[in-house]
Amino acid sequence: MKEATYIHGYSNEESLRLHLQANVLESIIHNDSIFPNNSRILEAGCGVGAQTRILASKNPKSNFISVDVSEDSVREAKRIVDKTNISNVEIKQADIYKLPFKSETFDSVIVCFVLEHLNNPVQALTELKRVLKKGGSLMAIEGDHGSAFFHPASKYANDAINSQIQLQKLNGGDANIGRKLFPLFQAINLEYISISPKIVYVDPTKPKLAEDFLKNTFTAMIEGVRENAIQNRIIKKQIFEKGIMDLNQIIESKGSFSYTFFKGVGIKK
Amino acid sequence: MKEATYIHGYSNEESLRLHLQANVLESIIHNDSIFPNNSRILEAGCGVGAQTRILASKNPKSNFISVDVSEDSVREAKRIVDKTNISNVEIKQADIYKLPFKSETFDSVIVCFVLEHLNNPVQALTELKRVLKKGGSLMAIEGDHGSAFFHPASKYANDAINSQIQLQKLNGGDANIGRKLFPLFQAINLEYISISPKIVYVDPTKPKLAEDFLKNTFTAMIEGVRENAIQNRIIKKQIFEKGIMDLNQIIESKGSFSYTFFKGVGIKK
């Protein structure tokens, strides 16, 4: 069985980062994550429930089943859903490659920040399509670390970001998967495919976004691979640290930072 | 006197490319280029009038003075304005570093795809600010070639794009200036600065945008530096040609291409 390798790990810190990230990105990536009332929706790879919370609140008259392969994540997602009194979500442990659902069960299927971590995204998408009703919609949201660019220029910051990209590749994932949503959707023969870029731009006129997205979401995510990237000799400690410092000084330096997410929707024939 | 070096040259082909580019980008970069009636507006660096046409048509009750340093471009811009029956524009030859206008003459000043070609953008912006009334708005629109990313990956295509960036640098310009609009605006002490990214995303579901933007605007622009970049030994001919070929095959390969423009607005205190 192909296991998803989640390179960011399962620490409490990472869980907090994921919830923060979900809040920051809500208006950017979920503004149009709206489904008809009474939809039966599968969220695959829900992790600690960071997106689940948002999707379920935005669609109170739809019913979600959110699954994840990790037992720990499922436990945490259940805790979050109970704590926030969300009643339209059922959380289950399940493998995205081998879902415990009959074919054509769901009106819509969502994957958010999941495909990037998989060894075989086409196989996972094929399985997601199997459980989707004919005419149902598949929605995928993914980042693309190769889309990050900033001022002032820093070779160290580029190296630190690239170390994350390389580590993810080493683990069978793809940190630059956002730009590939179109061919992935086409590979499983969806129709009416529509891919939208969602760019996040930060400069000193946006101090909250700088704090929440650039520092606590993006840079924190890069920082999260520190030990792993250094141990795997992908990058030297001094270079990594300097890179993180440079990313953290972009706003002080009156610079800017841009990053693009991609949201794809397609219909099962 | 510091001369602007326009690295794309002044051929008829380049003039056609600029007009095509302006049409493609109208809805992307000029959707909000709207000024109050009776505004007196300076467009600095109007070139062959590609943006002039669009700006003047979108703001029929404002009056434009559009200037460029190149005599040839000014002649061509006049021809275009006459041909298209635009009556709210006066075209003049003038140096952006030394404008033939009294201080505080204009309600708004626009520069579009100009700062990237200048040796000293801050000096030009300072001069633009001089002729702007207090409380008037300065608008700048610039691309950023470092923002381009695509699938399938091609080292050759990256090299071809980078050769353009290097050639522009060699000529004293900056092809990655889009991300620097915030610090540039701050350097001349504007207030209420607001910078917006305008991302263009192309995949096979958008054949017209692929043709008009990716092929006839972006790739054609890179192709335009072929002789110069090869003569200056920035890139080898075979690599450049392979890079252009790869850019031209993105859509056939069911891939995608993204590019980000930046639009900045700030107010003179």
Side-chain angles (χ1 to χ4, degrees):
Chain A
M1 193 183 86
K2 289 184 196 79
E3 271 286 338
T5 313
Y6 187 67
I7 66 161
H8 308 308
Y10 293 97
S11 64
N12 283 340
E13 250 182 14
E14 173 61 9
S15 175
L16 186 65
R17 187 188 71 82
L18 289 168
H19 281 289
L20 254 172
Q21 166 180 282
N23 290 339
V24 181
L25 296 181
E26 176 170 354
S27 64
I28 297 165
I29 61 172
H30 285 310
N31 63 314
D32 51 0
S33 297
I34 300 294
F35 301 87
N37 286 350
N38 304 313
S39 293
R40 204 173 173 192
I41 303 171
L42 172 68
E43 185 202 4
C46 65
V48 297
Q51 310 299 327
T52 313
R53 267 190 310 124
I54 290 167
L55 290 165
S57 312
K58 283 186 88 95
N59 297 278
K61 298 199 170 161
S62 287
N63 291 300
F64 289 81
I65 296 187
S66 296
V67 303
D68 202 274
V69 72
S70 152
E71 204 183 317
D72 288 353
S73 294
V74 163
R75 194 179 308 117
E76 176 64 11
K78 276 185 179 159
R79 201 181 63 80
I80 291 290
V81 162
D82 287 347
K83 201 178 122 190
T84 44
N85 289 320
I86 291 171
S87 60
N88 57 334
V89 177
E90 185 188 339
I91 311 264
K92 277 189 175 204
Q93 193 181 355
D95 179 0
I96 199 169
Y97 290 112
K98 219 174 167 175
L99 294 165
F101 306 111
K102 286 190 186 153
S103 294
E104 302 184 17
T105 298
F106 297 97
D107 299 299
S108 290
V109 172
I110 305 173
V111 267
C112 187
F113 305 145
V114 173
L115 300 175
E116 57 167 328
H117 299 295
L118 302 181
N119 290 294
N120 194 336
V122 172
Q123 192 189 328
L125 286 168
T126 303
E127 176 66 352
L128 294 174
K129 190 186 162 196
R130 181 185 67 78
V131 301
L132 189 61
K133 289 181 190 166
K134 278 179 193 160
S137 68
L138 177 69
M139 179 184 283
I141 302 171
E142 297 290 336
D144 191 308
H145 297 355
S147 77
F149 63 97
F150 44 86
H151 173 76
S154 159
K155 199 198 155 315
Y156 304 108
N158 284 333
D159 287 348
I161 295 170
N162 283 331
S163 77
Q164 209 277 6
I165 296 174
Q166 283 174 63
L167 184 68
Q168 200 152 339
K169 203 182 233 171
L170 210 63
N171 283 277
D174 183 351
N176 293 354
I177 203 166
R179 70 190 74 177
K180 299 168 196 165
L181 281 187
F182 177 80
L184 285 170
F185 274 29
Q186 223 188 28
I188 60 161
N189 208 18
L190 295 180
E191 59 180 359
Y192 305 117
I193 300 170
S194 172
I195 314 288
S196 319
K198 310 275 185 181
I199 189 167
V200 185
Y201 167 81
V202 179
D203 69 27
T205 64
K206 300 172 179 178
K208 186 160 163 45
L209 196 59
E211 182 76 10
D212 291 350
F213 180 71
L214 174 52
K215 189 172 168 224
N216 294 330
T217 299
F218 182 80
T219 308
M221 177 198 64
I222 302 295
E223 275 192 277
V225 303
R226 180 189 275 114
E227 313 311 329
N228 245 327
I230 294 167
Q231 270 170 24
N232 280 282
R233 293 167 188 247
I234 292 171
I235 191 169
K236 288 193 176 139
K237 190 174 186 312
Q238 302 92 301
I239 292 178
F240 189 89
E241 299 299 352
K242 182 86 175 66
I244 296 296
M245 219 169 71
D246 287 351
L247 285 172
N248 278 328
Q249 279 174 354
I250 286 173
I251 297 302
E252 256 178 75
S253 314
K254 299 173 182 169
S256 73
F257 178 87
S258 298
Y259 184 93
T260 303
F261 294 92
F262 288 88
K263 182 170 188 169
V265 186
I267 301 295
K268 179 175 174 176
K269 283 182 194 169
Chain B
M1 190 183 87
K2 290 183 196 78
E3 271 285 338
T5 312
Y6 187 68
I7 64 160
H8 309 306
Y10 293 98
S11 64
N12 283 341
E13 249 181 17
E14 173 62 8
S15 176
L16 186 64
R17 188 189 70 83
L18 289 167
H19 281 287
L20 253 173
Q21 166 180 281
N23 290 341
V24 182
L25 295 181
E26 175 169 357
S27 64
I28 296 164
I29 61 174
H30 286 309
N31 63 315
D32 52 358
S33 298
I34 300 294
F35 302 87
N37 285 351
N38 303 314
S39 293
R40 204 174 171 192
I41 302 170
L42 172 67
E43 183 200 7
C46 66
V48 295
Q51 310 300 325
T52 313
R53 267 190 311 125
I54 289 167
L55 290 164
S57 312
K58 282 184 87 92
N59 295 277
K61 297 198 170 164
S62 287
N63 291 300
F64 289 80
I65 297 187
S66 296
V67 303
D68 200 275
V69 72
S70 151
E71 205 182 318
D72 286 352
S73 294
V74 163
R75 193 178 312 118
E76 176 64 10
K78 277 184 179 160
R79 200 181 62 81
I80 290 291
V81 162
D82 288 346
K83 201 179 120 189
T84 45
N85 290 319
I86 291 170
S87 59
N88 58 334
V89 177
E90 185 188 338
I91 311 263
K92 275 191 173 202
Q93 191 182 359
D95 180 0
I96 197 169
Y97 292 112
K98 219 173 168 177
L99 294 165
F101 307 111
K102 285 191 186 151
S103 294
E104 302 182 18
T105 298
F106 296 97
D107 299 296
S108 291
V109 172
I110 303 172
V111 266
C112 187
F113 306 144
V114 173
L115 300 175
E116 59 167 326
H117 298 294
L118 302 181
N119 291 293
N120 194 337
V122 171
Q123 191 188 328
L125 285 167
T126 303
E127 176 67 352
L128 293 175
K129 189 184 162 196
R130 180 185 68 76
V131 301
L132 189 61
K133 290 180 189 166
K134 279 176 192 160
S137 68
L138 177 69
M139 178 184 284
I141 301 170
E142 296 290 337
D144 190 309
H145 296 354
S147 77
F149 62 98
F150 45 87
H151 173 74
S154 159
K155 200 197 155 316
Y156 305 107
N158 284 332
D159 286 349
I161 295 170
N162 283 332
S163 77
Q164 209 277 6
I165 296 174
Q166 285 174 61
L167 184 69
Q168 201 153 339
K169 202 181 232 171
L170 208 66
N171 283 276
D174 183 352
N176 294 353
I177 204 166
R179 70 190 75 179
K180 299 169 194 164
L181 281 187
F182 177 81
L184 285 169
F185 275 28
Q186 220 184 34
I188 61 163
N189 208 18
L190 295 180
E191 61 181 355
Y192 305 116
I193 300 170
S194 173
I195 315 287
S196 317
K198 311 275 184 183
I199 189 167
V200 185
Y201 167 80
V202 179
D203 69 26
T205 64
K206 301 172 179 178
K208 187 163 160 46
L209 195 59
E211 182 76 12
D212 292 351
F213 180 70
L214 174 52
K215 188 172 169 222
N216 294 331
T217 299
F218 182 80
T219 308
M221 176 199 66
I222 301 295
E223 276 193 276
V225 302
R226 177 187 277 114
E227 312 310 328
N228 246 326
I230 294 167
Q231 270 169 26
N232 281 280
R233 291 168 191 247
I234 292 171
I235 190 168
K236 286 192 177 138
K237 190 173 187 309
Q238 302 93 302
I239 291 178
F240 189 89
E241 300 299 351
K242 182 84 176 68
I244 296 296
M245 218 169 69
D246 286 352
L247 286 171
N248 278 329
Q249 278 173 355
I250 286 173
I251 296 302
E252 254 178 80
S253 315
K254 298 172 183 171
S256 74
F257 178 88
S258 298
Y259 184 94
T260 304
F261 295 92
F262 288 89
K263 182 168 188 170
V265 186
I267 301 295
K268 179 175 175 176
K269 284 182 195 172

